Amino acid sequence: MRHMLNPLDFSVEEIDRLLALATDIEHNPSKYAHVCDGKKLATLFYEPSTRTRLSFESAMLNLGGSVLGFSSADSSSAAKGESVADTIRVISCYADIAAMRHPKEGAALVASQYSRIPVINAGDGGHQHPTQTLTDLLTIRSLTGRLRDMTVGLCGDLKFGRTVHSLINAMVRYPGIRFVLISPDELRVPSYIHEDVLKANHVEFEEVNNLDEAMSKLDILYMTRVQRERFFNEDDYIRLKDSYILDKKKMKLAKKDMFVLHPLPRVNEISTEVDKDPRAAYFKQVQYGVYVRMALIMTLLEVEKPC
Ligand code: NCD
């Protein structure tokens, strides 16, 4: 039985197959409408979410399956003190596959060790968010036609942003990927990403403060929200929250074929005036997230691809 806890749980070839399946789903949705008939997905969300939870639910419903679950720790037995290990043992009796979001790093890993069903990490604290990464990879590949030889700018909260950590982890495996890491000094990537992922893989990267100066080099700009809930002190959050605001003026500095991605939710970091720019891809990205989660559910449940 397989789980999806970290993007590296799948080889580059497996990710290629998954993205190809997601693209086939995009083009032929009706073919897949019943492949998960009778199967159940449990969504175990101990932390707020709109997109990820509903995207998983939509994905399972599109495949003909059904969904059960909870959307906050308060409404689950966690409020009574139940451990993740016990909860997943129980859920294993109710569902065929589970997607879990939890504020603690490693929670999904613990769940997988006690589970009888595949566990998908839907975000564990400031650590990883592999299904957002699959979404990002599918978006980049669909829009640019490639997952290699490009400069990716990651901007905002690179310290606490788990989507950033997962995306770097996944993208260092493709040839010719360069990163420009744009953040205030306090919000740079954690040292395990800096040392064990970027340096260890001899990836070309630079850490800068200034977004304007970086703009013209980028093929992809991945904007992120400053992660208020992971700050220890509100004053720091207030000081840093509007460090970067992407607006029309900044977009003028970018390549004509650069794309802007954002895992959402957006707060202030992308001005709504950018939404109309054809390079703004963050709402398309949401749609790709459904296709890729459909492909992931099918893969983990070992559902045959219909002819
Ligand atoms: C992200 C997350 O939860 O890490 N959201 C999402 O899943 N699309 C990004 C964020 O909350 O800033």
Side-chain angles (χ1 to χ4, degrees), residues 165-180:
H165 307 157
S166 283
L167 187 57
I168 294 176
N169 242 316
M171 286 203 91
V172 297
R173 298 194 291 180
Y174 298 92
I177 300 293
R178 297 167 295 276
F179 292 105
V180 184

Side-chain angles (χ1 to χ4, degrees), residues 88-109:
I88 196 70
R89 282 181 173 123
V90 170
I91 300 297
S92 296
C93 306
Y94 301 152
D96 302 285
I97 185 165
M100 173 182 279
R101 168 169 290 190
H102 199 285
K104 289 215 178 99
E105 284 79 6
L109 172 65

Side-chain angles (χ1 to χ4, degrees), residues 18 25 31 45 87 95 109 114 131 147-148 157 161 169 195 203 217 233 266 272 276 278 288 294 299:
L18 192 90
I25 291 171
K31 219 166 85 178
F45 276 61
T87 302
L109 172 65
Y114 293 89
T131 63
L147 275 176
R148 56 181 302 158
D157 187 346
N169 242 316
E195 300 303 315
V203 175
K217 300 182 201 167
N233 121 26
R266 142 175 74 182
T272 52
K276 288 195 270 323
Y288 286 123
M294 290 170 74
T299 305

